[in-house]
Amino acid sequence: MNSNTMPLEAETRVLIDRSLENLGWKLSGKDQNVYYEQPRSEAEKKKLCGKRPDYVLYSKDSDKPLIVIEAKKKGVRLDSALEQGIQYAKAIEAPLVFATDGVFCKAFHTVANRPPILNGEEIDEFIREALALRYLTSYEVNTVSPKVQYDRKELIRIFDEANNMLRGEGLRAGIERFGEFANILFLKLISESEQIKRESGIPTKFDVACSWDSIKQIPISTRIEYINKTVYDKLNLLYDTDIFTPLQIRDASILKEIMDKLDPLMLTDVDSDVKGDAFEYFLKASTSTKNDLGEYFTPRHIVKTMVRLVNPQIGEKIYDPFCGTGGFLIESFRYIHNNMARTEANMKTLRESTVYGNEITNTARITKMNMILAGDGHSNIKMLDSLANPIDGTETYTENGVLHHRGFDIVLANMPYSQKTKHGNLYDLPSTNGDSICVQHCMKAINSAAENGRMALVVPEGFLFRKDLTKTREYLLGHCQLQSIISLPQGVFLPYTGVKTDIIYATKVNKKVKSSEKKKDFWYFDVKSDGYTLDNHRRKLEMPSDLAKYEEYRKLDEEQTDDMLKVGFEVIPLEKVRQNSFVLVGSRYRVPTPLSANSYVMTKLSDVANLIRGISFPKSAQKTIPDATSPRVVTTRAAQTGGIDFDKIIYIDDSYFKEDKLVKKDDILFSLANSLDLVGRVTYVDDDYQNMTFGAFMGLLRADRTKIHPKYLFSMLQSQNAKDYYKSVAKTTTNISNITFEDLGNFVFPLPSLEEQMKIVSEIDSYRQIVESARTVLANYMPKISCSSTEYMTLDNISIFKPSKEEVKDISDDTFVSFVPMATLNTFDAAFSATEERKISDVRTGFTYFKDNDILLAKITPCFENGKAGIARNLTNGIGFGSTEYIVIRANASLVYPEWIFYHINTPEFIEGGRAFMTGTAGQQRVDINYVKQYRIPVPPLEEQKKILDQISYEQSLIEPSKQLIKVFTAKIETRIKEVWGE
């Protein structure tokens, strides 16, 4: 029997059937619209030529098939099942295909030949018949109406306005004002939701006296008292809670103003399956712009992945000790609700004894409101410091004569990072380190008698390798079966934090696993892309997420090992982990493959070069007035890609100089600690420099010339493969990424013979010389602006700074405009061309506005110091948006040309002067806008300006070929290096 004719596993069929029933599909009876292993009509059977789809779903009002479902069978990949389903669906003209293993789903639209989209995201679960019908005419459906979408955006604007009003009421910024607004918003949302229920004939116990419309009828003078004493009392009674506390607003006119602003909004959509999504939208949108609230929100797609990973079932208890706004608990509630049998007993269990959470701040009240709107399950959410209240899952207690174990079946959490705690003495491994105590708390909270207590926990990557957490990692491995670690890319939690994170997934948690049952290894999976841009804006990408690859193999079935290795899983031997201070970063254990695609031998860096550490010295050792013999230190600021920047060299006292740390000709300096984009930057030392050493954040590589040519090594360290490796092994804390010497030494690259290396070096050198010569031409050319005018004016007097967005307020949301990332600007050309477009609705907030002929100036280092500026030209519909790190200058056309300003702000004098007016921390400094506004330039008549600008334009036409040379020969260098890698 081949895999395509094997019967479905009974468990998978039960899961599919239950999910379809819960969505209203009819599996039997006169209204049946779900058919097993064959279509409904004889004509369709003939089209399939005897082949049998696992499920075919129809509309109740049509004979046309809507959906084909193929279930993954043992040993069959989900993609293979999807391909099979697509063949069946195209044969019988069904628009939708689902492939599933009972938990994880992939969908496909056979007409559009791409995944179907629901509300901007790819569909990853079964859908109702009414929704499926909408895919007959399109692959993309939005169940949130345009009005609701617009009103939700308005909600955030109103919150900002209310924030200012509440300041006057004495409420502190952050959670106090946020919570007060949420109290009022809840009344609006619950009223909308209950109205939909009533109109749909769904029974409800909601008292109409609590409705928004009823509250509006109460006179302004008594409205606060009515809400506090009538509405909130009734709601607390209805939901058996105490979360609705009296409003702190004293001024009735402020309450009226906020309610009047909210009143015309429609925030809940009738077509949405999730009535709580409006509140979730508010939480996400508002916390993304308020740093003191951002810690409470974990991205939904990561939450869904973790919930599907642990696969919670009705009857199990799920706990989040750091629940924030309740994302994990709400998703667990929905997941169980969608997949369980909808009996009264199950519903009672789900509502009352399934999800549990603690939140140390008053956000716990918000969490409860969120859960009520999402479907309930709020009763076990507590405002509590979890670390001060450990739960021991090994303890028992007796209730009504029945012995029970404390603890939970599942822990799901995104723990707070890098905190200190005073409660460490309550745990098995006492510590003040919050990372250690958070992990211990999660593990101890799992019921030791549970058949399979499991945990999915987001941790900062430092937990996986820091020396001070070695004992905690040993404790982890001793009290669970570590199944996998999912390495998330840096940036998944932006804009809240840039910390690099990982997901730890473990089973048999809080058990002493018998030696005979202990695993010998665990799976490590490195997520390169989670399907979103890794910046503050986190926009959806067209490319699929690597999380989908992990989810397909989340059962970690040993029979699928070969397939798992092909898609990026790595097997990490636990014995090696124990020998290596229990470090759990998978890249630490990678071994080189024997040959590259070009049949070159692959070698480890440590086998062909000596790695030398830099020197450490206190700030007091630096000399402000050095003499000719003072030792010089190359720091990360001085070590640039193009060579050593001698203006940034540090001079130190002789006593810190070490002879064995001298920099020599053909050495390669390596940045071991820097921002993630710059860590791993390499600098070739082109000469012997007297008394020159290098700092502690630098490493030095000295090639073994019997094995490798230094310049060949330099090219390999500059390759894209190397840069990808640096990012994969970099350990990131706050804004700094570090690469250990051990990880650097483990970098593997192709090693041709020395004779072949010489040929490669010679070819690349010839290209580099052309590039360097062309760069020299550009670097030496500086537009000369000399004019007769003695009249100088400030930029503020001849231009407008930061033009108002009011100029585009009346433009339709669907209008496309240009989007200009910082990388679009360069240091050579005045004008630039924008190649990216977005709808104006997507960029009105959170971005800087400008239009054609406006000048953009990068204000953040190092972009400002590198002269990044440009004049906007040929923008789509004449409008552009871009980084908030732009200063926008609009020239007064009656006084100056935009180019006249551009060339004056692109001079060394302007940039050097701006360095004295920088604000912010090192590496993230910005030029003060007042410096730019007050900068004075000559302003001759427009006719004279034009003559000078025409001359500059002519001169630039002469150096244009140099720009093309740089572009062409840089590409040739990259191509040659890729060829060495076999690409």
Side-chain angles (χ1 to χ4, degrees):
M1 182 181 290
N2 67 44
S3 62
N4 289 327
T5 58
M6 288 169 59
L8 280 175
E9 294 180 64
E11 180 188 358
T12 303
R13 170 159 277 177
V14 168
L15 291 170
I16 295 172
D17 289 356
R18 190 176 293 153
S19 182
L20 293 175
E21 282 181 325
N22 290 341
L23 288 167
W25 294 94
K26 302 299 181 184
L27 279 57
S28 59
K30 69 170 187 170
D31 293 329
Q32 179 180 355
N33 58 357
V34 176
Y35 288 78
Y36 300 97
E37 298 190 357
Q38 61 179 2
R40 185 158 59 186
S41 73
E42 290 300 322
E44 288 160 358
K45 290 176 187 175
K46 286 181 182 178
K47 290 179 182 178
L48 288 169
C49 303
K51 293 177 181 175
R52 294 176 172 270
D54 292 327
Y55 290 76
V56 183
L57 280 57
Y58 295 80
S59 165
K60 290 193 285 285
D61 302 320
S62 170
D63 290 332
K64 184 175 176 59
L66 275 176
I67 298 173
V68 167
I69 299 175
E70 279 296 297
K72 177 181 180 240
K73 305 169 183 69
K74 190 84 168 170
V76 176
R77 291 192 61 218
L78 207 60
D79 281 344
S80 299
L82 187 65
E83 289 166 11
Q84 184 69 71
I86 292 168
Q87 290 180 25
Y88 295 154
K90 287 189 173 181
I92 59 176
E93 299 178 19
L96 292 172
V97 180
F98 286 87
T100 182
D101 57 10
V103 174
F104 178 51
C105 273
K106 281 189 176 182
F108 193 82
H109 196 283
T110 60
V111 180
N113 280 317
R114 56 160 297 159
I117 304 297
L118 176 62
N119 297 328
E121 301 288 342
E122 291 183 11
I123 292 178
D124 60 0
E125 57 191 16
F126 297 145
I127 58 178
R128 298 178 184 276
E129 177 194 339
L131 181 54
L133 287 168
R134 296 176 64 176
Y135 286 95
L136 289 173
T137 55
S138 174
Y139 75 89
E140 187 168 8
V141 171
N142 202 321
T143 60
V144 183
S145 72
K147 172 166 173 48
V148 169
Q149 290 180 54
Y150 177 80
D151 283 0
R152 288 185 184 175
K153 290 176 182 174
E154 279 291 287
L155 171 64
I156 302 307
R157 184 185 63 78
I158 292 168
F159 171 55
D160 286 339
E161 292 177 359
N163 203 22
N164 291 326
M165 295 181 216
L166 295 171
R167 179 187 294 114
E169 286 293 284
L171 275 68
R172 288 177 297 179
I175 193 62
E176 279 195 10
R177 294 180 203 159
F178 183 73
E180 189 78 346
F181 187 81
N183 271 357
I184 302 168
L185 177 62
F186 178 87
L187 298 175
K188 169 74 170 165
L189 292 173
I190 196 68
S191 298
E192 286 186 13
S193 185
E194 291 295 327
Q195 179 66 24
I196 291 170
K197 281 184 186 178
R198 283 193 294 273
E199 291 174 357
S200 304
I202 300 171
T204 174
K205 296 179 181 179
F206 186 76
D207 192 326
V208 72
C210 299
S211 72
W212 186 261
D213 286 342
S214 295
I215 297 169
K216 283 195 305 179
Q217 303 308 313
I218 303 300
I220 305 305
S221 59
T222 58
R223 193 178 291 182
I224 293 175
E225 183 181 16
Y226 179 78
I227 291 174
N228 288 345
K229 294 188 176 177
T230 300
V231 176
Y232 286 163
D233 283 353
K234 286 179 180 290
L235 290 176
N236 280 331
L237 187 63
L238 175 62
Y239 297 113
D240 189 23
T241 184
D242 58 1
I243 60 173
F244 298 102
T245 56
L247 293 173
Q248 297 180 59
I249 297 174
R250 300 179 301 276
D251 187 339
S253 66
I254 289 180
L255 174 62
K256 179 183 183 301
E257 190 171 352
I258 292 173
M259 288 189 68
D260 286 349
K261 288 178 182 294
L262 290 175
D263 187 50
L265 305 187
M266 176 57 68
L267 301 167
T268 306
D269 202 286
V270 177
D271 291 334
S272 174
D273 282 339
V274 183
K275 299 304 178 223
D277 59 1
F279 200 70
E280 186 161 332
Y281 173 87
F282 165 67
L283 292 173
K284 180 178 182 179
S286 54
T287 56
S288 69
T289 57
K290 307 289 185 296
N291 291 334
D292 54 346
L293 299 171
E295 63 187 279
Y296 304 119
F297 205 93
T298 303
R300 165 58 69 83
H301 63 291
I302 292 176
V303 170
K304 290 181 81 168
T305 292
M306 291 171 66
V307 169
R308 286 194 287 246
L309 179 58
V310 298
N311 191 21
Q313 303 295 307
I314 189 66
E316 292 187 309
K317 296 181 187 298
I318 300 101
Y319 173 55
D320 181 351
F322 322 107
C323 67
T325 53
F328 285 110
L329 300 179
I330 290 169
E331 186 58 35
S332 296
F333 184 98
R334 290 173 183 163
Y335 181 90
I336 295 171
H337 183 258
N338 290 342
N339 293 288
M340 73 179 190
R342 301 270 179 88
T343 64
E344 255 187 63
N346 279 353
M347 288 302 297
K348 180 177 172 62
T349 298
L350 180 59
R351 283 194 301 266
E352 298 177 6
S353 53
T354 296
V355 292
Y356 297 77
N358 296 336
E359 170 52 45
I360 191 171
T361 72
N362 200 29
T363 308
R365 291 176 51 251
I366 313 281
T367 310
K368 288 195 174 194
M369 292 182 208
N370 197 7
M371 297 194 75
I372 289 170
L373 289 165
D376 215 351
H378 70 282
S379 55
N380 298 307
I381 309 300
K382 298 176 182 176
M383 181 176 166
L384 195 69
D385 182 350
S386 291
L387 298 187
N389 295 273
I391 299 161
D392 189 345
T394 64
E395 291 182 352
T396 58
Y397 65 97
T398 303
E399 187 174 76
N400 298 326
V402 179
L403 185 69
H404 298 277
H405 261 81
R406 296 196 188 280
F408 307 91
D409 299 278
I410 297 169
V411 169
L412 279 163
N414 181 2
M415 70 185 219
Y417 312 147
S418 306
Q419 304 289 310
K420 293 291 182 184
T421 178
K422 59 184 179 182
H423 306 299
N425 60 320
L426 303 175
Y427 294 85
D428 294 349
L429 295 176
S431 173
T432 59
N433 187 305
D435 290 353
S436 172
I437 302 306
C438 284
V439 172
Q440 290 186 65
H441 179 92
C442 292
M443 297 185 69
K444 290 286 284 184
I446 290 190
N447 179 353
S448 63
E451 187 174 331
N452 186 20
R454 50 209 189 276
M455 172 179 77
L457 177 63
V458 178
V459 300
E461 180 144 298
F463 176 80
L464 303 185
F465 66 85
R466 281 172 44 186
K467 285 185 179 179
D468 58 327
L469 292 167
T470 300
K471 288 291 183 185
T472 310
R473 294 192 295 272
E474 182 179 6
Y475 177 89
L476 171 76
L477 294 178
H479 292 80
C480 73
Q481 291 276 36
L482 178 60
Q483 297 293 340
S484 63
I485 287 177
I486 306 170
S487 173
L488 298 173
Q490 185 161 13
V492 294
F493 289 103
L494 288 172
Y496 312 123
T497 176
V499 174
K500 173 93 170 64
T501 55
D502 299 74
I503 300 170
I504 294 176
Y505 171 48
T507 59
K508 298 187 183 300
V509 182
N510 206 16
K511 287 179 179 286
K512 272 283 188 182
V513 183
K514 296 178 184 176
S515 297
S516 59
E517 296 176 356
K518 284 184 178 177
K519 287 167 57 68
K520 292 183 171 54
D521 47 48
F522 70 91
W523 289 102
Y524 184 82
F525 187 77
D526 195 355
V527 176
K528 304 292 187 188
S529 170
D530 70 330
Y532 293 81
T533 58
L534 296 171
D535 54 23
N536 283 347
H537 309 302
R538 297 288 279 144
R539 293 187 188 84
K540 191 80 175 71
L541 298 171
E542 287 297 317
M543 62 187 291
S545 165
D546 290 338
L547 287 169
K549 295 178 187 175
Y550 179 87
E551 285 200 53
E552 180 167 355
Y553 294 104
R554 73 189 180 285
K555 293 181 181 177
L556 308 175
D557 193 331
E558 288 186 5
E559 294 179 19
Q560 295 181 312
T561 295
D562 289 344
D563 285 338
M564 292 169 70
L565 293 172
K566 287 175 186 174
V567 299
F569 282 82
E570 298 173 71
V571 180
I572 309 300
L574 284 167
E575 185 55 38
K576 285 191 175 181
V577 171
R578 294 186 185 96
Q579 294 169 4
N580 195 26
S581 302
F582 295 90
V583 170
L584 296 173
V585 179
S587 56
R588 183 68 56 89
Y589 306 100
R590 287 177 185 147
V591 294
T593 50
L595 297 173
S596 72
N598 273 337
S599 298
Y600 293 141
V601 173
M602 300 296 285
T603 187
K604 284 171 64 172
L605 178 58
S606 58
D607 291 337
V608 295
N610 291 324
L611 280 61
I612 304 169
R613 298 180 186 278
I615 65 167
S616 297
F617 52 88
K619 198 168 184 67
S620 59
Q622 296 182 31
K623 290 189 173 183
T624 53
I625 306 176
D627 55 54
T629 60
S630 295
R632 297 179 289 175
V633 181
V634 182
T635 63
T636 53
R637 289 189 71 224
Q640 299 293 314
T641 304
I644 298 170
D645 184 343
F646 289 91
D647 290 336
K648 295 187 173 76
I649 292 288
I650 289 174
Y651 293 81
I652 61 169
D653 189 87
D654 291 348
S655 60
Y656 291 92
F657 181 69
K658 296 180 180 179
E659 193 72 31
D660 60 344
K661 306 283 187 178
L662 272 173
V663 174
K664 298 181 180 179
K665 187 175 185 296
D666 295 325
D667 284 344
I668 299 167
L669 292 164
F670 188 97
S671 179
L672 293 167
N674 216 317
S675 67
L676 186 61
D677 289 335
L678 295 179
V679 72
R681 182 170 62 189
V682 287
T683 306
Y684 196 85
V685 181
D686 59 0
D687 206 345
D688 283 313
Y689 296 105
Q690 187 178 8
N691 287 343
M692 184 171 286
T693 183
F694 54 104
F697 291 158
M698 301 292 296
L700 183 142
L701 303 168
R702 187 163 291 154
D704 180 345
R705 287 178 173 272
T706 65
K707 298 176 181 178
I708 192 167
H709 192 291
K711 287 189 175 179
Y712 174 80
L713 175 57
F714 180 64
S715 292
M716 289 298 99
L717 293 171
Q718 278 194 313
S719 68
Q720 188 59 49
N721 306 67
K723 292 173 184 175
D724 291 343
Y725 176 78
Y726 305 150
K727 285 193 175 184
S728 75
V729 299
K731 316 298 188 304
T732 300
T733 55
T734 318
N735 294 321
I736 298 296
S737 295
N738 299 274
I739 296 178
T740 66
F741 257 38
E742 185 172 4
D743 281 336
L744 179 57
N746 284 333
F747 172 57
V748 176
F749 60 94
L751 187 70
S753 66
L754 277 169
E755 184 180 358
E756 183 71 15
Q757 289 178 46
M758 286 293 293
K759 292 178 182 176
I760 294 167
V761 166
S762 178
E763 182 181 349
I764 290 176
D765 260 359
S766 68
Y767 299 152
R768 282 202 174 115
Q769 287 171 18
I770 293 171
V771 171
E772 289 308 312
S773 297
R775 286 190 187 281
T776 300
V777 171
L778 292 176
N780 287 332
Y781 171 72
M782 182 65 64
K784 180 72 173 172
I785 303 176
S786 57
C787 60
S788 59
S789 174
T790 57
E791 182 180 3
Y792 277 71
M793 300 179 73
T794 65
L795 294 181
D796 200 23
N797 287 334
I798 58 174
S799 56
I800 294 171
F801 278 73
K802 195 179 179 183
S804 171
K805 291 181 186 177
E806 288 290 303
E807 295 179 357
V808 292
K809 70 175 181 178
D810 296 327
I811 294 177
S812 167
D813 279 355
D814 292 332
T815 302
F816 279 91
V817 298
S818 290
F819 184 78
V820 183
M822 189 73 73
T824 304
L825 305 188
N826 59 60
T827 56
F828 299 136
D829 297 308
F832 63 85
S833 296
T835 58
E836 188 177 340
E837 290 185 346
R838 293 187 186 167
K839 288 183 180 179
I840 199 168
S841 58
D842 295 332
V843 291
R844 279 189 198 274
T845 58
F847 298 98
T848 298
Y849 154 72
F850 45 89
K851 68 178 185 180
D852 276 334
N853 293 319
D854 285 348
I855 304 148
L856 305 186
L857 170 66
K859 63 183 177 183
I860 192 169
T861 55
C863 298
F864 173 79
E865 292 179 320
N866 290 337
K868 269 188 174 284
I871 303 171
R873 292 276 159 77
N874 302 315
L875 299 173
T876 303
N877 292 309
I879 300 167
F881 282 84
S883 171
T884 56
E885 301 295 353
Y886 290 142
I887 293 175
V888 180
I889 307 169
R890 180 171 297 169
N892 182 335
S894 66
L895 294 174
V896 288
Y897 287 100
E899 289 85 354
W900 189 256
I901 293 177
F902 169 82
Y903 289 123
H904 278 91
I905 65 172
N906 212 20
T907 61
E909 293 80 11
F910 173 79
I911 294 169
E912 187 59 38
R915 288 196 181 107
F917 293 87
M918 289 287 186
T919 59
T921 57
Q924 288 289 305
Q925 291 189 310
R926 294 165 177 81
V927 69
D928 189 329
I929 192 171
N930 289 316
Y931 164 75
V932 182
K933 285 182 174 182
Q934 298 306 312
Y935 191 74
R936 295 165 60 81
I937 67 172
V939 185
L942 288 172
E943 298 79 16
E944 186 175 349
Q945 290 180 38
K946 187 172 188 311
K947 285 181 183 178
I948 294 171
L949 292 174
D950 286 346
Q951 176 63 27
I952 291 173
S953 180
Y954 170 70
E955 292 169 358
Q956 288 186 329
S957 71
L958 299 178
I959 64 169
E960 182 63 33
S962 295
K963 300 175 190 175
Q964 296 304 314
L965 283 173
I966 291 171
K967 185 175 180 181
V968 170
F969 284 92
T970 298
K972 289 176 80 72
I973 292 170
E974 292 171 354
T975 299
R976 187 65 186 99
I977 292 173
K978 285 180 179 178
E979 287 172 356
V980 176
W981 283 92
E983 297 174 6

